[in-house]
Structure formats: C-alpha cells, structure tokens
C-alpha cells in the first residue's frame, strides 16, 4: 500500500498542477540592493559552501523526492548522477517503505551507488524512531532528515493524524543517531517558536520547506478525488520567505530554505536572508524523467543566475551575500512585522 502511494505521488507530481495557486513564496517581496560599483570579478565568484564538514560546490540540495516503488529507481539514479557530478546535496523520500519491505531498498540505495561522494540525506517520519538506523544505513547517509508533514497527513485518505509525541520522538532519534539530524517540513513552513523547540530537541539543521511551491494538499486531493477539503487547504502554510526569516532569526543552527525556490535569484534572496543553502524538488524531478543531463543543465542555469545576483550586489562569496543589503516589502514585511521581527535592519547592515 505504501509503495503504490509512492508511485501515485510520482505520477501526480509529474503530470498534474500541484503548485500553490493563490499564495506565493514571498520572494517577490525581497529586493536585493543593486550595486553600480560592485568591485567584483564575476568569473571569480565562489558559490561553494561548507555543509557539516563537506564542501558543496553550489549551495543547493536536491530536496527529498522519491523512493519506495520500482518506478522511483530510475528517478533517484538520474538525480544521484547529477548530484555527484555537480557536487551538491541530495535527499531521498521517506524510507519507511524500504524499512518495512527490503525488496524496495534498491529504490533508495541506488542513490549512494551513483553518488559515492555526494552529501546524501536519509528520510524518516517523526514517530519512526525504530526506522532511523536502518534508513541511514541503507544509503550510507551523511545526515538524516525527519520530515514533518501534518498538512499532507490531514488530507491523505489513509493519513496518520495523531501527532502527539513528535518532540519526544525527535529527541530520541537525535540521541541515538550519530550524524546530523535535519528537521524538515514538507511545504507548509516552520515558525520561529517551533524552530526553537526543534533546536532544543537536538536537531542540527532545519529545512523550512515553506509554502509557495509544491502543495502536498494538492497532491493528496488528486489521490482522494475529493474537491472540498483539499481545495480548502491547497494554499495552507507559512510562505517560504517569511519562514526563512522566522527560523534564521530564532536559532543558531544551519537553515535550509526550500519550498518554491525556482532560480538562482530566489536562492540569492534566501541566502541573503540568512539561509545556509537552498533546496529544490519539483523542477528537478521533472528533469530527471528526461535524464541526468537535463538535471545538470537545469542546475547549471541555477548556478549562473545565482552568480549574476551575487555580482550585482558585490558579493565575492556566499558569506558576503549573507551580509548584503536588502529590502523586505509587501505582504512579507507585513507578516514579519506582525510577528515581531524588525525588517529595517536588513536594509541597513553594517
């Protein structure tokens, strides 16, 4: 049953309109301040970062996408080949299916086989303490993501809607797993108060996965063939730009900004807001159906647009980009102001 659900998710994401309809990421409200005298050589701009002791040539992770059905093997293989060639990170989808059915392990282990040197992130749900070690081991993971998907579970016909004990479970996973633990939303964002709770629970990084990109309420609406509830919550969540600021302002651990990141310019804005790196899922999933060369081309376009943004604000590297001036306007400014965050300081950095 879990395996067939994985296949349905893949097909729906590739063939149907699953993105937010009435709500954006909020990155259109983030304005990087142009420098007419950048004093930077664009060809010398360094977009690499150090992520938990491992160098990524681009501050990008292919966000958790798939696994758990034989049809996912090809997708994960193509994405992994691209990740290895580009030296970026990659996450796999929830590994529960393969922990419960070992015949499905190859749909995940294909990632490490084709990306021997890439930064690979495993994936389990918050309640799945007993799955943690097996999930990390089957792909020789460098980190383990704990996904938080209450919106999806609420819309999913067979969803698990008992969320009691999540924090205690995360604490136990962080205690027994000897590798970085990443708390990861799945498209509805994370608030500042919950970011603080997650940091106290022992996670080492937070992936905000805000709203504005893929809506898992939309995906589950197609599966359920049920219009009312799914459509009602299609656009639920904290916009990615707002969530990125809330979390970066609240914790002292690395923050991954994902959820509707579609270009290097989006990424530049997220990094300038304080994110360590960004994640992209749906656009690269679609490219993977064509082959890893298409994934590589898409990421190279992303890298070029990121470097142009850095050139135009006078940033030689990602550290300098995180300190550049920017304006927060519109609905994002309204959101953050109402949440008690001073947006003016971003425009007047010293």
């Amino acid at each position: 049953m879990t395996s067939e659900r994985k296949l349905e998710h893949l097909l729906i994401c590739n063939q149907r309109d699953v993105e937010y309809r009435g709500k954006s990421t909020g990155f259109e409200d983030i304005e990087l301040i142009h420098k007419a005298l950048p004093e930077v050589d664009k060809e010398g701009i360094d977009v690499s970062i150090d992520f938990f002791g491992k160098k990524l040539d681009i501050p990008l992770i292919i966000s958790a996408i798939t696994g758990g059905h034989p049809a996912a093997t090809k997708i994960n293989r193509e994405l992994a080949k691209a990740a290895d060639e580009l030296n970026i990170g990659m996450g796999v989808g929830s590994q529960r299916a393969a922990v419960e059915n070992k015949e499905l392990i190859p749909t995940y282990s294909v990632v490490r086989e084709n990306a021997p040197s890439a930064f690979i992130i495993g994936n389990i749900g918050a309640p799945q303490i007993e799955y943690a070690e097996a999930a990390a081991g089957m792909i020789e993971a460098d980190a383990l993501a704990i996904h938080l998907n209450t919106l999806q579970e609420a819309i999913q016909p067979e969803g698990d809607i008992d969320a009691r004990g999540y924090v205690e479970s995360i604490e136990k996973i962080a205690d027994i797993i000897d590798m970085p633990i990443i708390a990861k939303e799945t498209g509805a964002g994370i608030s500042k108060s919950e970011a603080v709770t997650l940091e106290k629970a022992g996670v080492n990084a937070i992936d905000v996965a805000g709203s504005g990109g893929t809506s898992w309420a939309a995906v589950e609406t197609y599966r359920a063939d049920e219009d009312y509830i799914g459509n009602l919550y299609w656009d639920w969540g904290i916009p990615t730009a707002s969530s990125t600021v809330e979390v970066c302002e609240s914790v002292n651990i690395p923050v991954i900004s994902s959820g509707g990141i579609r270009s290097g310019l989006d990424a530049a804005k997220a990094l300038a807001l304080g994110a360590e790196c960004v994640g992209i899922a749906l656009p690269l999933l679609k490219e993977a159906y064509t082959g890893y060369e298409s994934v590589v081309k898409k990421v190279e376009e992303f890298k070029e647009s990121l470097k142009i943004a850095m050139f135009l604000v006078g940033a030689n590297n990602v550290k300098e980009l995180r300190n550049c001036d920017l304006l927060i306007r519109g609905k994002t400014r309204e959101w953050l102001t109402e949440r008690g965050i001073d947006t003016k300081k971003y425009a007047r950095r010293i």
Side-chain angles (χ1 to χ4, degrees), residues 6 28 82 86 88-89 112 146 158 188 224 234 240 264 313 316 339:
K6 300 295 184 185
E28 72 280 3
L86 295 160
I88 59 176
R112 180 56 78 191
I146 301 175
E158 64 277 55
W234 192 295
T240 301
V313 300
N316 285 288
R339 297 281 288 161

Side-chain angles (χ1 to χ4, degrees), residues 42-48 55-60 85-88 261-265 267-268 271 278 280 284 295-311 318 321:
K42 177 177 171 292
E43 294 305 312
I45 289 175
D46 180 10
V47 298
S48 69
K55 180 184 177 183
L56 303 184
D57 288 347
I58 308 170
L60 175 64
E85 180 171 320
L86 295 160
N87 192 33
I88 59 176
I261 300 285
R262 295 294 181 260
S263 69
L265 179 55
L271 295 167
V278 302
I280 298 179
L284 300 182
V295 179
V296 170
K297 181 180 178 182
K298 189 76 172 179
V299 174
E300 292 287 5
E301 291 172 354
F302 166 92
K303 180 181 179 181
E304 177 64 14
S305 62
L306 171 59
K307 290 183 72 172
I308 289 173
M310 294 172 67
F311 176 65
V318 174
L321 176 60

Side-chain angles (χ1 to χ4, degrees), residues 201-224:
V203 306
N204 307 105
I206 295 174
D207 184 343
V208 305
S211 68
T214 302
S215 167
W216 282 94
V219 175
E220 296 299 344
T221 297
Y222 289 123
R223 287 191 63 240

Side-chain angles (χ1 to χ4, degrees), residues 240-284:
T240 301
S242 296
S243 185
T244 299
V245 175
E246 286 211 16
V247 178
C248 287
E249 288 270 336
S250 307
V251 300
N252 295 303
I253 54 178
V255 175
I256 303 167
S257 181
S258 69
I261 300 285
R262 295 294 181 260
S263 69
L265 179 55
D266 288 341
K269 293 177 179 181
L271 295 167
L273 290 172
E276 187 77 13
C277 59
V278 302
I280 298 179
L282 186 63
L284 300 182

